[in-house]
Amino acid sequence: MPSLSAPSRATGASDHTSADQARMPVPEPRGPLSAELIGTMTRDRDGADFRRAVAATVLPSGRDLLADEDLQLTLTLLYELHLRGITGVPDHREWDLDLLAARAQIERPFDEALGRADPVPGSAEDLIDALWAAGESDDGPPMSHFMARTATTEQFRELVVHRSLNQLREADVHTLGIPRLHGGPKATLIEVQADEYGGGRLDRMHAMLYAQTMRALGLDDRYAHHIDHVPATTLAGLNALSYFGLHRDRLPELIGHLCLVEMTSALPSKQYARGLRRLGFDAAATLFFDEHVEADSVHEQLVVRNLAGALAAAEPGARAGLVRGAAVCGRMDTFAAEHIWKSWQSGNSSLRLPL
């Protein structure tokens, strides 16, 4: 196995027993909005000034939200209040009315920027066919083949950092769909998510396996440790998932998003594991990807047919959202991959800061 120089934190077991280590660290601001939000939260100030700043900045501007570093970091922080929390920020800020109002002001144009998916399937079977078609679509750069055959160790480290903000909380946001479902679809989502959480075994939780991969690559595996490194193109996909997961009226989009994740994970995971073995890494580095080759081949059938298909049959109004969620997931994955690919093809790092 290659010898990598790693932070001292990355050399030991990933137990995450510290409350601070379980939270997102306070990042550096990327503009006036994220600076105002960070100051408001960390100094426990009234949120009215931040709400007014958002109204003045977002609504009239027509700016490109998906590529805007300041806005995407701001949205990430606002969502994190409902998830793991942020170091030094009181938990009661989760339900701060000014922060919620400001988030809603950002979400309206963000929702528009995520796009729509047409046409709406006319039946549950049409919905299932549409999801399979979405899973087979591949408009992005050939990332998985590149990682298998050509990528360097440093490029693997970058890719793993890009994915770390989501993978170190793997399954958590999709699990928010469980209390919003009932009957067969609920049982199916529980079955799939139980696998994601290792069937109750800490050492088999997929988030813990990802942390193991990070340590093998000499990376710090603390939750959101690399928030300052990842660009808006990565945060946009993270925020799309959080948006779907935290809104009950976006439940179909959340399920559609999960469908695409499960449909498009097995083959790339096989390629990533192959690439790591090519570079001399052992099973400690590849186990996360090896696990997804087998698990997601089973999960894709369950989520497409027994979850999304059953939901579409019981609730025809959910069909548009199911297809849209899958389309948005694919669109955001391509958006992030294109940034990484173009950076590497130009001989540059895809991260904002060096590792």
Side-chain angles (χ1 to χ4, degrees), residues 52-64:
R52 286 189 287 268
V54 168
T57 302
V58 177
L59 299 183
S61 68
R63 59 206 287 182
D64 181 3

Side-chain angles (χ1 to χ4, degrees), residues 128-312:
I128 291 172
D129 291 342
L131 289 176
W132 287 127
E136 293 170 359
S137 177
D138 187 8
D139 298 328
M143 287 291 297
S144 61
H145 293 287
F146 176 80
M147 301 309 290
R149 301 171 183 172
T150 309
T152 65
T153 297
E154 192 58 31
Q155 287 170 331
F156 257 105
R157 281 162 54 86
E158 286 193 15
L159 183 68
V160 166
V161 164
H162 277 285
R163 296 181 56 169
S164 66
L165 268 72
N166 184 54
Q167 301 302 155
L168 290 176
R169 68 177 197 192
E170 183 171 352
D172 289 355
V173 179
H174 288 126
T175 299
L176 295 173
I178 290 175
R180 296 168 180 168
L181 292 166
H182 65 277
K186 183 170 191 168
T188 298
L189 184 54
I190 291 171
E191 179 181 358
V192 170
Q193 297 306 87
D195 285 346
E196 303 290 342
Y197 292 118
R201 287 181 53 187
L202 178 64
D203 63 323
R204 300 302 297 183
M205 285 177 61
H206 289 183
M208 302 304 289
L209 297 181
Y210 199 81
Q212 178 174 289
T213 296
M214 295 186 75
R215 296 195 301 277
L217 284 163
L219 295 166
D220 195 310
D221 68 336
R222 285 175 291 183
Y223 177 70
H225 175 76
H226 297 96
I227 180 67
D228 286 324
H229 291 78
V230 297
T233 49
T234 295
L235 294 181
L238 189 77
N239 290 334
L241 174 56
S242 297
Y243 171 59
F244 293 157
L246 291 171
H247 287 267
R248 192 183 188 286
D249 64 348
R250 292 291 177 259
L251 175 63
E253 280 91 336
L254 181 67
I255 300 305
H257 187 285
L258 175 62
C259 287
L260 199 84
V261 168
E262 299 293 353
M263 287 188 293
T264 58
S265 176
L267 292 179
S269 291
K270 185 175 183 179
Q271 299 280 48
Y272 296 149
R274 181 180 299 166
L276 286 170
R277 283 190 284 268
R278 169 180 59 80
L279 291 167
F281 288 93
D282 61 16
T286 65
L287 183 56
F288 171 85
F289 298 111
D290 292 333
E291 174 72 15
H292 281 73
V293 173
E294 179 178 351
D296 290 352
S297 297
V298 175
H299 289 173
E300 65 177 359
Q301 296 291 331
L302 290 172
V303 297
V304 171
R305 298 186 182 281
N306 298 356
L307 178 50
L311 184 62

Side-chain angles (χ1 to χ4, degrees), residues 41 44-45 81 89-97 99:
M41 294 190 303
D44 210 16
R45 297 194 317 235
L81 293 173
V89 176
D91 287 341
H92 69 79
R93 299 311 292 261
E94 177 183 7
W95 300 111
D96 183 299
L97 296 182
L99 299 188

